[in-house]
Every structure is written in structure tokens, then in C-alpha cells.
Amino acid sequence: MEKVLNFLKEAGVYYLATVEGDQPRVRPFGTINLFEDKLYIQTGKVKNVSKQLHENPKAEICAFKDGRWLRVAGELVADDRREARASMLDAYPDLRAMYNEDDGNTEVFYIKNATATFSSFTAAPDTVNF
């Protein structure tokens, strides 16, 4: 899991794919945090991505860096604990200009049942499950 965390942090931007009805939705994200041995992302409850994940928690993350890419498929589970939100905001203090752990909007999700696959055109895929 550390390898996945490090790749996503070093990439800086990753793309999160969700589903809305029968339509895929993809958008850029930049938050990834390790809290209680789980990888977390952050969004706002008012955003469509939040609504999509509550309807269908299956999602996929994709990032590209230095000729390699990472795909992480799994389920995103909302964690409504203040400690989880605070951990994310502490890891990304710039977010505090828009969010705080008690605003009723900040939302964090952790990834469960994940399969992460590192790929490139020059090496065999490397898969990590967590």
C-alpha cells in the first residue's frame, strides 16, 4: 500500500472514475492520505462525485508518472469520523481555505477491496491488493 500511496503523491494528480447511471464520470483529484492503514481521498458532500459514490461505491483511480501508470480499482467507503477528516486536512493544509472538519461538507472515503496495478510499456504489470 505504501508503494501505491507514494506513486499517487509523486504523480500529484490522479483521475477518479465513478459511474452515474450508465455514464462513466472522470475527474482530476490530488488528495491521497494514509490514515489508520487505509488510503483516503477527500471531496465535498455537495459535489456530484460524492452522490455518485454513495449510489455506487465502485470506482477506479488512474495516475501516470515517468512512463508508468497506476490503476487502482476498488470500493470507496465514506468515513464520517471527524478524526478521518482532520487527518486529511492536516495532510493538505491548503484545503482549509475551502473546507474544515466540522463544516458539514468535507467528506473522506477510504479504498477497500483494492487491486492496484502498476504498468508500463517496458515491464510486466505489478499488482498489489489491499
Side-chain angles (χ1 to χ4, degrees), residues 16-19 41 53 56-61 72-76 111:
L16 175 66
T18 59
V19 176
I41 68 162
L53 289 170
N56 181 351
K58 292 182 180 177
E60 191 159 320
I61 289 170
V72 182
E75 297 172 49
L76 290 175
I111 305 168

Side-chain angles (χ1 to χ4, degrees), residues 4 6 15 17-18 20 35 40 50 54 61 75 85 87-88 91 94-95 98 102 113 115 122-123 125-126 128:
V4 172
N6 291 337
Y15 295 87
T18 59
E20 183 176 55
F35 177 69
Y40 279 75
S50 171
H54 283 281
I61 289 170
E75 297 172 49
R85 294 189 304 270
S87 176
M88 177 65 76
D94 289 349
L95 286 177
M98 297 179 294
D102 298 315
N113 300 327
T115 299
T122 59
D126 178 22
V128 177

Side-chain angles (χ1 to χ4, degrees), residues 1-124:
M1 186 180 337
E2 287 286 331
K3 185 175 176 182
V4 172
L5 174 68
N6 291 337
F7 190 97
L8 292 172
K9 282 190 175 231
E10 290 170 12
V13 174
Y14 61 87
Y15 295 87
L16 175 66
T18 59
V19 176
E20 183 176 55
D22 66 349
Q23 180 65 46
R25 302 290 182 194
V26 180
R27 78 278 293 151
F29 265 68
T31 55
I32 192 74
N33 189 43
L34 184 64
F35 177 69
E36 294 181 345
D37 295 324
K38 296 175 185 162
L39 289 182
Y40 279 75
I41 68 162
Q42 182 274 336
T43 191
K45 288 181 181 179
V46 299
K47 294 184 176 181
N48 287 336
V49 64
S50 171
K51 296 169 189 153
Q52 293 157 6
L53 289 170
H54 283 281
E55 280 191 32
N56 181 351
K58 292 182 180 177
E60 191 159 320
I61 289 170
C62 185
F64 184 84
K65 179 181 75 77
D66 299 330
R68 297 180 64 214
W69 59 95
L70 168 65
R71 293 176 54 198
V72 182
E75 297 172 49
L76 290 175
V77 179
D79 184 341
D80 200 32
R81 294 177 300 150
R82 184 180 195 281
E83 301 83 9
R85 294 189 304 270
S87 176
M88 177 65 76
L89 295 173
D90 289 345
Y92 292 89
D94 289 349
L95 286 177
R96 290 191 179 278
M98 297 179 294
Y99 297 99
N100 76 66
E101 48 268 39
D102 298 315
D103 64 8
N105 181 41
T106 303
E107 185 168 42
V108 293
F109 293 84
Y110 67 86
I111 305 168
K112 83 171 196 178
N113 300 327
T115 299
T117 305
F118 295 89
S119 300
S120 75
F121 290 117
T122 59

